[in-house]
Structure formats: structure tokens, C-alpha cells
Amino acid sequence: MSVKPEAAGNGRGRTPYLSHFTEFSERRARFVESFRDTKIDAFLVTALPNVRYLSGFSGSNAALLLTADRSLLFTDPRYQTQAPQECDCDIKIAKKALLIEAPIWVNRLAVKRLGFERTRISFEAYDFLKRNAKTFQLVPVGDAIEQLRMVKSATEIATIRKAVELNSAAFDHALRTFKRGMTEVDLAGKIEYRMRRLGADGPSFETIVAAGPRTALPHAHPTARAIKGDELLLVDMGATVAGYASDMTRTMGVGRLSTKARRMYRAVLESQLVAIDSIKAGIASSTVDRSARTVLKKYGLDEWFIHSTGHGLGLEIHEGPRIGKKEARRLEAGMAITVEPGVYLEDFGGVRIEDTVIVTKNGCEVLTPTSKDLIIL
Ligand code: ZN
Ligand code: ZN
């Protein structure tokens, strides 16, 4: 790498970055190693979560050019102070668009074959690169960085744990202020305010608060509808901490719940617990999905479980692996995934229960501390 970690860690107050720098340069080395056999001699990373994963840079405009011995981070003048604080790459402050500056360096470094992220680039960006690729060949590459990102390091797991704990604390704080008659938007607002107050970067996705029959919409957008008595209330929320996401869903009762709603809750909870129980390194993701569905089938509710059982999460709220019916991908120790079966009956209501867990060699660790006993408000 062009800048040594110790050089960057010299200044007082900059030492905390040192261990991070090492982790990022190791990730880059692992990534560069992974394309050694492909005859690709440089790689242009344009997806921001991937740039962040490999460099530590958290800004909103960047591209990373990696060769066997160089790491160039392109960003714009807004980040000229932040970029060297966050990463130990060779920082190039671009005066023009990044995709104008990056190819100049590709030529300068005598690159012959440049890998790029084929699923992460716009047609316009590709077209632009192609027009500038006079002396090098463009090689589309699939989800190589995403594959590396699936298994989390100890530092990443510690950060996800913080995000999960903060999220649950925000949930507790917000619920304490709950009053009947409050709207879905009021409660969503209180939740996101609490996240901020507790130190989150922000919500990791738009908080879902749905009451009554609206709980049957798996991704309901909070509305001005008042949360009244004797109905279901579903909250799906996640906080981002130091770039890492958490994700949790709890379904509650406001006042009295019908026997049907309580039975749905029991079924979904049993399904979620059985699915969690099935998790361990080495099994296919589809096994976890099947475990969840088998329980719901016993209750005659499997037909209304209309999404997959879970997803990986990390620098993005949805990343690999997918925990679905047809996913043959084997789970590995260190993967961070959600387990979130749900049942949705149109015009009646829905129940979903979701935790964030870490796959281990012999099972998994449920990070989410929030109770799954049915909460009645
Ligand atoms: Zn969720
Ligand atoms: Zn989720």
C-alpha cells in the first residue's frame, strides 16, 4: 500500500484510526489476491458500501482504484479533510467527475485489464468508462466484494452488536412515551429521534410503523392514522452505527387482541424460534427458510408468509446471504443475518418478528436483546 499505516497513525489524536487502517489494508490485500488468477491487473470500485468496506471512507462520492501495489481513492474537494482522516489510500481530490479522473490513472498505471462492478454501475457510467478505455480492456465482475463482505470480522460484529443494542434501547425509550391516539408517524418520529439521541448515524431504513389492518402490509409506510385500542401494532426499525445496520421487528397488541391475532402471534413466534434453532455454519440458507415455513404450515398459515425468512446485513441493510426458499448458499460462522418470518392477512392484520443474529460454528448468537413475549400496550 502506498501509505503505511504507521505514518498515518503518527499524529496525536489519530491513533484510533490505526487498527482500522490495518483492517482495511488487509481487506484490500485479500480482495486483490482474489482476482490474481483472472488476469485483471486493476479494479475500479464504484459502489459506496464497497468503497467504504475496502478503504474506510464514509463520504457520499468516491471511487477506489486498486492494483497489486496501489490503492487510489478518488473523491471531491468537499472531502479533502475527511478522506485522509478516514483512510490510508493515496487520496486524489478530483476537480472533475470521478469517472473522468480515474481512467487517467488507469492509463498512467499501465493497466491492461480493468475489473469493474457490473451490478453496481449505471449504463451512463459504463458508457463513459468504455469511451475512455483506449489503452485498457474493461472486465465486468459480479459480486466479488459482496462475497467477502458476507463474513464479518470481529470488529464488524462488535459494531453490529452496538447498532442492535442501540436500536433496542431506542425502541424501549419510544415505547415508554406511547399513548393511544398517537399516529403511526408520531411513533416513527419518536423512534428515529431516540436513535439519534442515543448516538446512531441515523435509521438504517425508513422506520415502519403500522397499526390495525395496515399491519398486513409487510412494508407499510407510516401514515397519519391514529393507533387505537384493540388492534395489532407492528414496528420494523433499524439503526445505523458507524456505518453498520441493525434490523428488528416487533408486533404488539394495543388493548385487547382477538384469539385469531394471538394465535397468529404464537405461530410466527414459534416459526421464528425454530428457524433460529436451525441455524449453524455449514447448512444451506434454504434450510432456515424451510424450518420457518414448516411451523407456519402446521398452523395453516404458510400461504400468507409472502417473503423470504431473512437477509444478511452490515454496511447495507440488505446484503448477502439471502435466507430464502431456493438459496443453496451455505451459512458460515461470522455471517450477520436476520430471521423474520411473518404472516399477513389482508383486511385483518399481520405479525412479523425479527431479530439480528450472528452465525456461529455450532449455532448462532441472537444479538437482539428485546423480549419476544407479546407486548400489550
Ligand atoms: Zn426489518
Ligand atoms: Zn429485515
Side-chain angles (χ1 to χ4, degrees):
M1 293 301 124
S2 50
V3 179
K4 307 270 181 311
E6 57 270 29
N10 273 345
R12 255 210 302 184
R14 298 187 67 182
T15 320
Y17 295 111
L18 188 62
S19 62
H20 273 77
F21 280 164
T22 313
E23 181 153 352
F24 294 122
S25 60
E26 280 169 6
R27 287 178 194 168
R28 290 196 294 273
R30 215 177 317 132
F31 176 59
V32 168
E33 184 59 39
S34 74
F35 61 78
R36 182 144 293 173
D37 296 337
T38 60
K39 295 203 174 80
I40 291 171
D41 50 359
F43 201 100
L44 185 65
V45 187
T46 47
L48 286 172
N50 289 341
V51 169
R52 186 165 186 171
Y53 180 73
L54 293 170
S55 72
F57 181 65
S58 68
S60 64
N61 184 30
L64 187 63
L65 178 63
L66 300 175
T67 71
D69 51 13
R70 299 288 298 266
S71 302
L72 276 65
L73 181 98
F74 298 89
T75 184
D76 66 64
R78 289 174 301 166
Y79 295 110
Q80 62 190 15
T81 307
Q82 181 183 326
Q85 286 173 348
E86 288 185 336
C87 58
D88 66 340
C89 300
D90 228 338
I91 290 153
K92 305 291 176 200
I93 302 297
K95 297 277 182 309
K96 295 179 189 147
L98 306 187
L99 288 180
I100 294 179
E101 303 263 349
I104 297 172
W105 278 90
V106 175
N107 288 323
R108 205 172 283 172
L109 296 173
V111 170
K112 291 280 164 284
R113 283 164 57 82
L114 178 72
F116 71 98
E117 303 177 276
R118 73 178 174 86
T119 59
R120 298 283 209 157
I121 199 164
S122 68
F123 179 79
E124 188 187 29
Y126 171 71
D127 198 44
F128 194 81
L129 273 180
K130 210 170 92 179
R131 274 188 277 132
N132 284 285
K134 302 222 161 48
T135 59
F136 58 89
Q137 192 189 339
L138 282 167
V139 186
V141 176
D143 57 354
I145 306 168
E146 287 82 353
Q147 290 289 336
L148 291 178
R149 279 172 47 195
M150 277 191 211
V151 176
K152 270 65 183 177
S153 69
T155 321
E156 289 182 291
I157 291 172
T159 311
I160 293 171
R161 188 187 300 275
K162 272 191 204 148
V164 168
E165 285 170 0
L166 185 148
N167 192 52
S168 286
F171 175 76
D172 291 346
H173 280 277
L175 273 201
R176 266 182 241 140
T177 64
F178 177 79
K179 285 189 194 73
R180 279 192 205 179
M182 179 184 262
T183 67
E184 293 170 348
V185 169
D186 288 337
L187 183 57
K190 282 187 184 289
I191 286 169
E192 293 184 3
Y193 169 71
R194 284 295 162 189
M195 284 178 187
R196 291 271 189 197
R197 288 294 305 267
L198 290 166
D201 306 343
S204 49
F205 56 92
E206 199 186 319
T207 305
I208 295 171
V209 175
R214 300 193 72 257
T215 52
L217 306 169
H219 266 209
H221 184 82
T223 66
R225 182 195 187 278
I227 305 165
K228 298 173 292 203
D230 306 336
E231 61 182 13
L232 287 163
L233 172 64
L234 185 148
V235 174
D236 187 352
M237 57 188 278
T240 301
V241 172
Y244 282 79
S246 55
D247 197 358
M248 172 180 87
T249 308
R250 288 293 180 266
T251 307
M252 295 156 279
V254 183
R256 284 164 56 86
L257 282 188
S258 64
T259 314
K260 187 175 170 183
R262 285 178 176 274
R263 183 173 180 271
M264 270 169 75
Y265 191 89
R266 267 203 314 280
V268 173
L269 179 57
E270 189 182 325
S271 162
Q272 204 246 10
L273 293 173
V274 168
I276 287 176
D277 233 31
S278 73
I279 297 172
K280 63 176 180 184
I283 63 159
S285 308
S286 56
T287 308
V288 182
D289 187 83
R290 200 179 324 115
S291 307
R293 280 174 214 283
T294 306
V295 173
L296 293 175
K297 198 177 171 112
K298 193 178 81 183
Y299 285 86
L301 292 169
D302 55 315
E303 196 184 324
W304 291 279
F305 177 21
I306 51 175
H307 52 74
S308 54
T309 296
H311 53 87
L313 81 176
L315 285 169
E316 287 174 281
I317 181 65
H318 291 124
E319 52 181 64
R322 246 171 67 91
I323 313 297
K325 244 182 217 170
K326 295 189 179 122
E327 303 297 320
R329 166 97 205 190
R330 305 240 160 230
L331 295 181
E332 289 174 54
M335 284 178 167
I337 58 171
T338 68
V339 184
E340 50 178 306
V343 165
Y344 311 92
L345 303 180
E346 206 179 328
D347 299 326
F348 176 77
V351 173
R352 178 167 68 253
I353 301 171
E354 173 182 29
D355 287 330
T356 298
V357 313
I358 302 289
V359 180
T360 61
K361 191 166 159 269
N362 300 312
C364 73
E365 185 194 353
V366 178
L367 297 185
T368 312
T370 306
S371 162
K372 286 181 281 199
D373 293 340
L374 178 58
I375 299 169
I376 300 290
L377 297 168

